[in-house]
Amino acid sequence: MTTVKEREAIASEFAEKMNEDELLNCMRCGFCLPHCPTYIESGLKESYSPRGRIALMKAVTDGLIEPDEDVERSLSLCLGCRACEPVCPSGVKYGHLLEEARDIIHQNKDHSFPVKTIRKAVFSGLFPHQERMQNMTSLLGFYQRSGLQYIARKTGVLSMLPDHLATMEKVLPKVPTKSEMKKRPTDLPSIGPVLKKVAFFSGCLMDTMFLETNKATLKLLQLAGCEIVIPKSQACCGALHGHSGEKEGAKRLAKRNIEAFEADEVDYIITNAGGCGAFLIDYDHLLQDEPTWHERAIAFTNKLKDISEILVDLRFHEKTRLKLPAQTVTFQDSCHLRNVMNTSIAPRILLQAIEGIDFREMKDADRCCGSAGIYNIVESEMSMKILDTKMAHTKSTQADIVVTANPGCLLQMQLGIEREKMGDCTKAVHIADLLVEAAAL
Amino acid sequence: MITKPVKQLLLSIVGPENYDDSKVECLVYSYDATPGYQAMPDAVIKPGCTAEVSDIVKVCSEYKIPIVPRGSGTNLSGGTCPMEGGLVLLFNRMNSLLEIDEENLTATVQPGLITLDLISAVEAKGLFYPPDPSSMKISTIGGNINENSGGLRGLKYGVTRDYVIGLEVVLPNGDIIHTGGKLAKDVAGYDLTKLMVGSEGTLGIVTEAILKLIPTPETTKTMLALYQDLDAAAQSVAKIISNKIIPVTLEFLDRPTLVVVEDFAKIGLPTDVEAVLLIEQDGPLEVVERDMKRMADICLEEKAVSVEIAETEADAAALKTARRTALSALARLKPTTILEDATVPRSEIAKMVRAINEIASKHDVNICTFGHAGDGNLHPTCITDARDHDEMERVELAFADIFAAAIDLGGTITGEHGVGAMKAPYLEWKLKKEGVAAMTAIKQAFDPNNIMNPGKIFAKESRKRVVVSS
Ligand SMILES: Cc1cc2nc3c(=O)[nH]c(=O)nc-3n(C[C@H](O)[C@H](O)[C@H](O)COP(=O)(O)OP(=O)(O)OC[C@H]3O[C@@H](n4cnc5c(N)ncnc54)[C@H](O)[C@@H]3O)c2cc1C
Ligand code: SF4
Ligand code: SF4
């Protein structure tokens, strides 16, 4: 429930803070509609479309309607996949509008005690602290290794979880041990002549649960001719905060990262998680109201590059023999990598360079898989609808491997495979892991 | 106003999942792509079949509740803005392609079908449905029929009207009628099919349509002619037609439009010329090649700085797609984009373009022009900001002048976007009192209670006709 007082506060902040020009830029042509997953899966509900959401934000800003539960519902059901942006001829920056709106709503809501506690734990307690992320991941590791997982599965306590969460439990990767996580090097030499010096953004989830993928990424960079630094004081990118209406928290993390990456002179800052990359590349927008930081943010974002882009730039795929047993491979775009970082061709070039694989494009590969941060947990119904459509398209490629470029998408695709009971014939992998395998490293 | 008992009646027809009167749902259907029009409906309803539509209409007719049928709301005349409240009627659930009949060359569709989905399905069978409004990715067939939409291929193939051969319509009293059919010939009585096309939801609700298909042309070629002079481009259009060549497409874009379109589409359009013509021809290969050569020669004679034929199909498609985004891309320049639809005989294109430019500078407003030059249908588009009231007044005056100029050149106030609410006050300029009276009589006969999309086409008051100075 939103109280009258909360509504009033939200409405007045909308009027004050929302970017009116951007709201007016939407000329309501509707070109974005056919690209919006929530619009499609909801049976073409205009209030779950980008055009509808912009109209609602504008109406609240103009004082035409109150920010009631339905407005909130419409906004919280948005995946934030930003598929509506590249197709918008008017160039409306939808993502920025959404972020601002969510921030206003959350900051002015007196959340219920459990929600508050969870939000606080996640946004202030957990994600900004790599140490704690490691601890939490170790807990999962303990669960997996100690036999608890076995017991939990056997006794059926998992069936007390909602269906898809129980399934999610099954697909979580085998996590590394704490000491493995701590043994992270800070400098790595290039293998062969040095072509570029890069800094690696290790990410919080990527550096704990997906440590193997990070290792693979580093290996690829070294092989492509990169000397690597991994700034120790870097932090979580802040995407989860930014997308959940915790803008201040996101700003704090952004500043820490900018500082951390200013320490070394590098040509590029490399990411291997589309979701993080897209948030990092938007730091200049996040910090636009703080002049000195804004400039530093621009310098930071100008250096950002996804792993697949730099590999293609350095012609890794031409210089290295990539080979795998004969199999069919398809690629699921990470929305943020594609729609915000503008990377969609490079991963395909790399995959097609692998001998032995038959690359098959799936229908609507650019459509969100429904993972979207914690969306698949908080909006599970819509998320699973979106995932079902995605799996139908995956199936029709008859792919043995679904390649992804973001941890969230990877887990979601694994979840989809598990739900469809396709596990025997299909698996999902991160592109870095596949490339390392193909390079026989 | 929809009272509780009436709501109950409507709910019993469509069920609670298909009726919504929440603020949010009403708000998102309170506007369409037309700037400056917004009004809240009382509720939104989604019928699943013709019988349900008929039942809804009967209730509305009895209780005098306005009905605004709505496709995707892409019309640019305020046609779906529920100015007098009432029900917005959606076709989201009635969006099937019912049949493609390859023997009779027809397609039977429900009104909510997206135009592009029809075109793709038809093309997959080696057939051709020519009307291709720039909004086709999102517009619905029901909307196309009711606006009589045209598109890039209109010059050679005509507009939606030329392809609608049969309709199922729910009349404002709830009666269901069938007009026309799969027949190539039918002269039984008045042509109600054609009357319905372009009626903007004011005479009845289209619930099914039979569309004519034609064989796909063998080849298509696309070229771009660049000009440093607007007049030269306009002259080329007139000369191509007077040389008895009818290309499929003959589109015009001026420089400001080119710049923004390139900014969005990034396909390497020239941005240092004053105007371009996008020209396309289709048909048997020899004919296409001959026509393209002659048109290229004509353009060069008329001082085109260069003429280039697209090498690949992908290049040609990119050019057309870019042209289709012209309007929305213009919206990048300033918050409010008001597009008009003045149409003149082809021979008068050059004069009209010149008049538009003079009117823009006379009223000190920023107008970009693009459009279907080949059929005389121009889209002077004003780039402005609705918050600047002074400027908005000048924009109104400028558009009034533009309509007047078009009519003086033997043209009309709209070539494809409909009269709607936006141009209703100008209708009399074109039709005169007697013409409007004839149309009002038709409206009265069909819809005595005036429940079908009220406030559209017919204005309470007409504008005074000003005399254009230029
Ligand atoms: C960017 C852009 C480009 C455009 N380009 C073109 C173009 O090239 N050519 C062109 O002709 N137009 C163009 N248009 C205008 C518009 O797209 C067309 O008029 C289109 O046909 C409208 O379709 P719609 O489904 O959005 O209908 P709507 O806008 O929803 O409705 C249009 C009218 O039809 C009525 N209506 C809709 N469905 C029914 C039904 N089943 N029964 C009875 N009445 C009904 C509505 O009441 C309304 O009066 C463009 C618009 C935009 C925004
Ligand atoms: S495509 Fe852009 S301008 Fe058009 S409705 Fe969507 S957001 Fe608005
Ligand atoms: S961000 Fe994605 S889900 Fe949200 S409105 Fe845009 S396309 Fe739809």
Side-chain angles (χ1 to χ4, degrees), chain A residues 27-29 31, chain B residues 32-33 68-76 79-80 91 111-112 132-135 138-152 199-202 204-207 323-324 327-328 372 379 416-417 452-453 456:
Chain A
M27 52 93 61
R28 316 190 285 207
C29 64
F31 277 25
Chain B
D32 52 37
V68 185
R70 178 176 166 121
S72 295
T74 66
N75 75 89
L76 297 161
T80 46
F91 299 99
D132 61 340
S134 299
S135 51
I138 173 80
S139 73
T140 65
I141 295 294
N144 291 172
I145 292 174
N146 278 276
E147 296 288 8
N148 190 13
S149 298
L152 297 194
S199 64
E200 305 187 29
T202 61
I205 299 167
V206 172
T207 47
R323 157 62 187 89
R324 290 197 175 102
L327 166 61
S328 327
H372 318 290
H379 296 314
E416 56 179 21
H417 294 164
M452 284 308 306
N453 208 357
K456 311 298 158 62

Side-chain angles (χ1 to χ4, degrees), chain A residues 20-21 24-31 33-35 39 42-47 51-53 55-56 58-59 64-66 68 70-71 74 86-91, chain B residues 20 22-25 27-29 31-38 40 46 70 72-74 92 95 134-135 137-138 264 324-325 327-329 331-332 334-335 385 387:
Chain A
E20 202 190 355
D21 282 339
L24 276 168
N25 270 346
C26 170
M27 52 93 61
R28 316 190 285 207
C29 64
F31 277 25
L33 267 55
H35 300 267
Y39 173 70
S42 66
L44 314 183
K45 212 167 139 75
E46 183 84 20
S47 54
R51 179 172 68 176
R53 291 183 175 116
L56 290 172
K58 183 166 186 308
L64 215 60
I65 58 169
E66 287 191 315
D68 62 9
D70 293 337
V71 173
S74 154
V87 293
C88 170
S90 309
Chain B
D20 200 329
S22 67
K23 270 232 165 114
V24 157
E25 216 54 28
L27 185 109
V28 295
Y29 295 107
Y31 59 84
D32 52 37
T34 325
Y37 289 85
Q38 185 156 29
M40 293 287 257
K46 295 183 198 173
R70 178 176 166 121
S72 295
T74 66
N92 295 358
N95 61 357
S134 299
S135 51
K137 257 187 168 172
I138 173 80
F264 169 62
R324 290 197 175 102
T325 62
L327 166 61
S328 327
R332 290 178 166 226
K334 267 189 149 197
D385 186 335
R387 292 166 292 188

Side-chain angles (χ1 to χ4, degrees), chain B residues 75-101:
Chain B
N75 75 89
L76 297 161
S77 53
T80 46
C81 177
M83 319 246 295
E84 302 184 10
L87 274 185
V88 167
L89 188 97
L90 297 176
F91 299 99
N92 295 358
R93 298 170 63 214
M94 295 175 67
N95 61 357
S96 306
L97 171 49
L98 300 172
E99 179 199 49
I100 294 181
D101 179 342

Side-chain angles (χ1 to χ4, degrees), chain B residues 220-224 292 308-317 319:
Chain B
T220 309
K221 283 205 183 300
T222 309
M223 76 183 174
L224 204 59
M292 290 301 266
E308 230 176 288
I309 297 184
E311 300 249 312
T312 63
E313 262 186 40
D315 288 349
L319 284 175

Side-chain angles (χ1 to χ4, degrees), chain B residues 54-68:
Chain B
S54 165
D55 289 345
I56 294 168
V57 173
K58 282 179 190 150
V59 172
C60 291
S61 164
E62 187 175 345
Y63 294 93
K64 314 244 179 327
I65 296 164
I67 306 176
V68 185

Side-chain angles (χ1 to χ4, degrees), chain B residues 34-337:
Chain B
T34 325
Y37 289 85
Q38 185 156 29
M40 293 287 257
D42 295 307
V44 178
I45 197 163
K46 295 183 198 173
C49 62
T50 307
E52 284 183 15
V53 175
S54 165
D55 289 345
I56 294 168
V57 173
K58 282 179 190 150
V59 172
C60 291
S61 164
E62 187 175 345
Y63 294 93
K64 314 244 179 327
I65 296 164
I67 306 176
V68 185
R70 178 176 166 121
S72 295
T74 66
N75 75 89
L76 297 161
S77 53
T80 46
C81 177
M83 319 246 295
E84 302 184 10
L87 274 185
V88 167
L89 188 97
L90 297 176
F91 299 99
N92 295 358
R93 298 170 63 214
M94 295 175 67
N95 61 357
S96 306
L97 171 49
L98 300 172
E99 179 199 49
I100 294 181
D101 179 342
E102 292 181 76
E103 279 175 27
N104 289 306
L105 293 187
T106 61
T108 306
V109 305
Q110 288 190 308
L113 182 67
I114 301 291
T115 316
L116 183 61
D117 291 346
L118 170 70
I119 290 178
S120 314
V122 161
E123 284 179 358
K125 295 214 181 252
L127 292 167
F128 192 42
Y129 177 73
D132 61 340
S134 299
S135 51
M136 67 181 177
K137 257 187 168 172
I138 173 80
S139 73
T140 65
I141 295 294
N144 291 172
I145 292 174
N146 278 276
E147 296 288 8
N148 190 13
S149 298
L152 297 194
R153 307 192 276 234
L155 176 54
K156 182 168 177 175
Y157 292 107
V159 292
T160 303
R161 168 173 293 133
D162 303 311
Y163 296 87
V164 181
I165 53 174
L167 290 173
E168 177 185 77
V169 180
V170 175
L171 295 179
N173 61 6
D175 285 355
I176 301 170
I177 61 163
H178 291 89
T179 73
K182 286 186 183 175
L183 306 161
K185 287 181 159 183
D186 183 359
V187 292
Y190 295 146
D191 191 343
L192 293 181
T193 313
K194 299 283 191 261
L195 176 62
M196 282 295 158
V197 179
S199 64
E200 305 187 29
T202 61
L203 296 181
I205 299 167
V206 172
T207 47
E208 209 176 287
I210 303 173
L211 306 170
K212 180 172 83 176
L213 307 175
I214 57 176
T216 313
E218 284 165 41
T219 44
T220 309
K221 283 205 183 300
T222 309
M223 76 183 174
L224 204 59
L226 318 184
Y227 295 86
Q228 282 308 357
D229 176 7
L230 281 179
D231 271 355
Q235 279 307 335
S236 303
V237 174
K239 201 158 163 194
I240 288 172
I241 311 265
S242 66
N243 268 275
K244 304 188 180 54
I245 309 173
I246 305 286
V248 188
T249 299
L250 191 38
E251 295 285 308
F252 170 88
L253 293 104
D254 70 0
R255 176 159 51 180
T257 314
L258 277 171
V259 172
V260 282
V261 169
E262 174 57 16
D263 185 37
F264 169 62
K266 304 218 167 41
I267 58 164
L269 282 175
T271 49
D272 54 352
V273 293
E274 283 307 312
V276 305
L277 291 178
L278 173 67
I279 305 171
E280 187 167 293
Q281 183 59 304
D282 69 5
L285 184 64
E286 316 83 70
V287 178
V288 172
E289 281 181 343
R290 193 192 61 210
D291 282 357
M292 290 301 266
K293 164 112 197 20
R294 277 173 57 197
M295 288 190 284
D297 289 346
I298 291 170
C299 293
L300 290 170
E301 278 161 31
E302 289 301 321
K303 299 200 228 28
V305 285
S306 87
V307 179
E308 230 176 288
I309 297 184
E311 300 249 312
T312 63
E313 262 186 40
D315 288 349
L319 284 175
K320 282 179 279 180
T321 307
R323 157 62 187 89
R324 290 197 175 102
T325 62
L327 166 61
S328 327
L330 277 169
R332 290 178 166 226
L333 294 181
K334 267 189 149 197
T336 314
T337 316

